[in-house]
Amino acid sequence: MAGTLDRAAVDAGFTRPYHNGRTEGVNTRTKRIMRQMHGRTGFSLLRHRILLQ
């Protein structure tokens, strides 16, 4: 159901020693690079820029 919270998931989020912060950071950085490169050449240049940073 949209708009409801899974109590077990919320509790686990606060009590577990690990999180997906690094993954979210990589996704955010990739999206930022994609926005900056809008209209330029394809995936190969995007991949190159991501690997350089």
Side-chain angles (χ1 to χ4, degrees), residues 2-53:
T4 61
L5 294 176
D6 181 10
R7 177 70 182 196
V10 173
D11 289 340
F14 285 113
T15 58
R16 302 285 183 200
Y18 46 85
H19 54 83
N20 65 345
R22 178 168 289 191
T23 303
E24 292 298 327
V26 170
N27 289 342
T28 301
R29 186 183 68 179
T30 302
K31 288 178 182 180
R32 180 179 48 86
I33 293 170
M34 288 175 65
R35 282 193 300 268
Q36 290 173 347
M37 293 184 59
H38 182 72
R40 298 205 175 103
T41 53
F43 180 75
S44 62
L45 180 60
L46 174 64
R47 181 177 181 274
H48 186 69
R49 293 236 357 227
I50 290 171
L51 291 175
L52 284 177
Q53 289 191 357

